[in-house]
PDB file of all heavy atoms in Angstrom:
ATOM      1  N   THR A 172     -75.283  22.075  82.184  1.00 47.00           N
ATOM      2  CA  THR A 172     -76.416  22.819  82.755  1.00 47.00           C
ATOM      3  C   THR A 172     -76.018  23.361  84.121  1.00 47.00           C
ATOM      4  O   THR A 172     -76.816  23.824  84.879  1.00 47.00           O
ATOM      5  CB  THR A 172     -77.724  21.978  82.768  1.00 47.00           C
ATOM      6  OG1 THR A 172     -77.380  20.756  83.468  1.00 47.00           O
ATOM      7  CG2 THR A 172     -78.163  21.670  81.381  1.00 47.00           C
ATOM      8  N   ASP A 173     -74.768  23.169  84.572  1.00 50.00           N
ATOM      9  CA  ASP A 173     -74.360  23.450  85.893  1.00 50.00           C
ATOM     10  C   ASP A 173     -73.036  24.119  85.855  1.00 50.00           C
ATOM     11  O   ASP A 173     -71.938  23.496  85.910  1.00 50.00           O
ATOM     12  CB  ASP A 173     -74.374  22.279  86.855  1.00 50.00           C
ATOM     13  CG  ASP A 173     -74.055  22.670  88.288  1.00 50.00           C
ATOM     14  OD1 ASP A 173     -74.094  23.831  88.636  1.00 50.00           O
ATOM     15  OD2 ASP A 173     -73.783  21.664  89.038  1.00 50.00           O
ATOM     16  N   PHE A 174     -72.995  25.422  85.635  1.00 51.00           N
ATOM     17  CA  PHE A 174     -71.661  26.103  85.453  1.00 51.00           C
ATOM     18  C   PHE A 174     -71.640  27.390  86.290  1.00 51.00           C
ATOM     19  O   PHE A 174     -72.687  27.935  86.652  1.00 51.00           O
ATOM     20  CB  PHE A 174     -71.449  26.469  83.948  1.00 51.00           C
ATOM     21  CG  PHE A 174     -72.588  27.088  83.298  1.00 51.00           C
ATOM     22  CD1 PHE A 174     -72.724  28.559  83.391  1.00 51.00           C
ATOM     23  CD2 PHE A 174     -73.551  26.347  82.640  1.00 51.00           C
ATOM     24  CE1 PHE A 174     -73.747  29.140  82.745  1.00 51.00           C
ATOM     25  CE2 PHE A 174     -74.637  27.015  82.047  1.00 51.00           C
ATOM     26  CZ  PHE A 174     -74.744  28.434  82.020  1.00 51.00           C
ATOM     27  N   GLN A 224     -87.694  34.415  85.563  1.00 73.00           N
ATOM     28  CA  GLN A 224     -87.313  35.134  86.766  1.00 73.00           C
ATOM     29  C   GLN A 224     -86.831  34.154  87.893  1.00 73.00           C
ATOM     30  O   GLN A 224     -85.945  34.447  88.616  1.00 73.00           O
ATOM     31  CB  GLN A 224     -88.481  35.993  87.323  1.00 73.00           C
ATOM     32  CG  GLN A 224     -88.734  37.215  86.426  1.00 73.00           C
ATOM     33  CD  GLN A 224     -90.030  37.977  86.974  1.00 73.00           C
ATOM     34  OE1 GLN A 224     -90.870  37.442  87.715  1.00 73.00           O
ATOM     35  NE2 GLN A 224     -90.175  39.196  86.538  1.00 73.00           N
ATOM     36  N   ALA A 225     -87.460  32.956  87.887  1.00 71.00           N
ATOM     37  CA  ALA A 225     -87.029  31.902  88.855  1.00 71.00           C
ATOM     38  C   ALA A 225     -85.723  31.423  88.457  1.00 71.00           C
ATOM     39  O   ALA A 225     -84.917  30.863  89.307  1.00 71.00           O
ATOM     40  CB  ALA A 225     -88.112  30.766  88.966  1.00 71.00           C
ATOM     41  N   ALA A 226     -85.470  31.287  87.197  1.00 64.00           N
ATOM     42  CA  ALA A 226     -84.241  30.611  86.686  1.00 64.00           C
ATOM     43  C   ALA A 226     -82.959  31.579  86.881  1.00 64.00           C
ATOM     44  O   ALA A 226     -81.900  30.929  87.119  1.00 64.00           O
ATOM     45  CB  ALA A 226     -84.344  30.294  85.240  1.00 64.00           C
ATOM     46  N   PHE A 227     -83.090  32.802  86.777  1.00 57.00           N
ATOM     47  CA  PHE A 227     -81.898  33.744  86.885  1.00 57.00           C
ATOM     48  C   PHE A 227     -81.152  33.466  88.081  1.00 57.00           C
ATOM     49  O   PHE A 227     -79.871  33.327  88.124  1.00 57.00           O
ATOM     50  CB  PHE A 227     -82.335  35.194  86.615  1.00 57.00           C
ATOM     51  CG  PHE A 227     -82.725  35.509  85.272  1.00 57.00           C
ATOM     52  CD1 PHE A 227     -83.639  36.475  85.033  1.00 57.00           C
ATOM     53  CD2 PHE A 227     -82.059  34.927  84.202  1.00 57.00           C
ATOM     54  CE1 PHE A 227     -83.952  36.771  83.794  1.00 57.00           C
ATOM     55  CE2 PHE A 227     -82.369  35.230  82.938  1.00 57.00           C
ATOM     56  CZ  PHE A 227     -83.307  36.159  82.676  1.00 57.00           C
ATOM     57  N   PRO A 228     -81.720  33.528  89.321  1.00 60.00           N
ATOM     58  CA  PRO A 228     -80.938  33.431  90.526  1.00 60.00           C
ATOM     59  C   PRO A 228     -80.244  32.056  90.640  1.00 60.00           C
ATOM     60  O   PRO A 228     -79.292  31.835  91.494  1.00 60.00           O
ATOM     61  CB  PRO A 228     -81.888  33.562  91.718  1.00 60.00           C
ATOM     62  CG  PRO A 228     -83.134  34.192  91.043  1.00 60.00           C
ATOM     63  CD  PRO A 228     -83.167  33.671  89.661  1.00 60.00           C
ATOM     64  N   ALA A 229     -80.694  31.036  89.951  1.00 50.00           N
ATOM     65  CA  ALA A 229     -80.100  29.633  90.152  1.00 50.00           C
ATOM     66  C   ALA A 229     -78.853  29.454  89.190  1.00 50.00           C
ATOM     67  O   ALA A 229     -78.070  28.542  89.384  1.00 50.00           O
ATOM     68  CB  ALA A 229     -81.074  28.616  89.676  1.00 50.00           C
ATOM     69  N   VAL A 230     -78.571  30.386  88.296  1.00 46.00           N
ATOM     70  CA  VAL A 230     -77.422  30.272  87.451  1.00 46.00           C
ATOM     71  C   VAL A 230     -76.116  30.338  88.225  1.00 46.00           C
ATOM     72  O   VAL A 230     -75.887  31.301  88.958  1.00 46.00           O
ATOM     73  CB  VAL A 230     -77.285  31.308  86.319  1.00 46.00           C
ATOM     74  CG1 VAL A 230     -75.961  31.153  85.502  1.00 46.00           C
ATOM     75  CG2 VAL A 230     -78.617  31.193  85.447  1.00 46.00           C
ATOM     76  N   GLY A 231     -75.302  29.283  88.231  1.00 44.00           N
ATOM     77  CA  GLY A 231     -74.067  29.303  88.990  1.00 44.00           C
ATOM     78  C   GLY A 231     -74.200  28.905  90.394  1.00 44.00           C
ATOM     79  O   GLY A 231     -73.079  28.839  91.097  1.00 44.00           O
ATOM     80  N   ARG A 232     -75.311  28.694  90.947  1.00 44.00           N
ATOM     81  CA  ARG A 232     -75.497  28.477  92.309  1.00 44.00           C
ATOM     82  C   ARG A 232     -74.954  26.998  92.576  1.00 44.00           C
ATOM     83  O   ARG A 232     -75.216  26.080  91.896  1.00 44.00           O
ATOM     84  CB  ARG A 232     -76.958  28.517  92.670  1.00 44.00           C
ATOM     85  CG  ARG A 232     -77.176  28.256  94.249  1.00 44.00           C
ATOM     86  CD  ARG A 232     -78.710  28.256  94.465  1.00 44.00           C
ATOM     87  NE  ARG A 232     -79.278  29.507  94.250  1.00 44.00           N
ATOM     88  CZ  ARG A 232     -80.587  29.788  94.213  1.00 44.00           C
ATOM     89  NH1 ARG A 232     -81.456  28.726  94.353  1.00 44.00           N
ATOM     90  NH2 ARG A 232     -81.148  30.986  94.005  1.00 44.00           N
ATOM     91  N   LYS A 233     -74.291  26.905  93.770  1.00 38.00           N
ATOM     92  CA  LYS A 233     -73.921  25.544  94.213  1.00 38.00           C
ATOM     93  C   LYS A 233     -74.561  25.043  95.420  1.00 38.00           C
ATOM     94  O   LYS A 233     -74.997  25.902  96.214  1.00 38.00           O
ATOM     95  CB  LYS A 233     -72.341  25.572  94.419  1.00 38.00           C
ATOM     96  CG  LYS A 233     -71.478  25.916  93.237  1.00 38.00           C
ATOM     97  CD  LYS A 233     -71.809  24.968  92.082  1.00 38.00           C
ATOM     98  CE  LYS A 233     -71.433  23.541  92.400  1.00 38.00           C
ATOM     99  NZ  LYS A 233     -71.720  22.583  91.386  1.00 38.00           N
TER     100      LYS A 233
END
Side-chain angles (χ1 to χ4, degrees):
T172 57
D173 186 11
F174 50 86
Q224 291 174 343
F227 286 147
V230 176
R232 180 187 295 169
K233 298 303 297 176

